Amino acid sequence: MAVFCPKESPEWLSPLFSFNKLMIMISHTHFLLLVVAVTLAGCSGKDPVKTVDWYKENTPERLAVIEKCDANPGELAASPNCINAITAANQITLNKRGYEKRTPINLSGSK
C-alpha cells in the first residue's frame, strides 16, 4: 500500500505535529489492529483435535461428536474432530465385521 507523504506539512496541521508523524502514527495503529485481530482469531475457543485412537477408546465422546457433526454437516463435516470420530467409528465397525487388511495382489507379474 503506497502512502503519499508530501515533503511539507499542510498548513492546517500544527508545526509540532507534522504530516509524516501522522502517517507513522496511522501505520502503527494499523499494525496494532492487525496484531489484535490475529490474537483474537487464535482464541476462537475451538476444541483441541483428538486422534482416531482416542475416539476409539472414548465411546461417549465419539458418539457426541458424531451427533454434533450430523446435526450441522455444512460447518463441521470437514473439521478434524468430525473426521477422526467418524473414522474411528468406521474402523470399529469394520473390526466387528471381521475385515482384515490384506496385502495387495501383484497382477502385473513383476516383482
Side-chain angles (χ1 to χ4, degrees):
M1 178 173 116
V3 177
F4 174 72
C5 294
K7 292 186 179 183
E8 293 183 16
S9 300
E11 293 177 7
W12 52 271
L13 288 176
S14 84
L16 298 175
F17 193 71
S18 71
F19 189 71
N20 288 336
K21 288 181 183 177
L22 177 66
M23 288 292 111
I24 291 171
M25 189 173 83
I26 289 173
S27 66
H28 285 282
T29 304
H30 283 125
F31 178 74
L32 181 63
L33 289 174
L34 177 67
V35 169
V36 169
V38 169
T39 303
L40 291 177
C43 299
S44 61
K46 292 185 179 179
D47 296 331
V49 177
K50 309 279 194 307
T51 64
V52 173
D53 290 331
W54 187 89
Y55 280 117
K56 283 182 179 180
E57 296 170 3
N58 298 283
T59 302
E61 289 85 358
R62 179 182 69 243
L63 296 175
V65 169
I66 291 174
E67 184 178 329
K68 188 166 61 168
C69 296
D70 288 343
N72 191 1
E75 285 186 23
L76 300 176
S79 70
N81 279 328
C82 285
I83 293 170
N84 289 347
I86 292 169
T87 302
N90 290 340
Q91 288 179 6
I92 290 170
T93 302
L94 289 176
N95 288 340
K96 286 181 182 177
R97 292 181 181 170
Y99 289 112
E100 301 173 5
K101 279 192 171 184
R102 303 200 188 269
T103 56
I105 299 173
N106 186 1
L107 297 176
S108 66
S110 63
K111 293 184 180 184

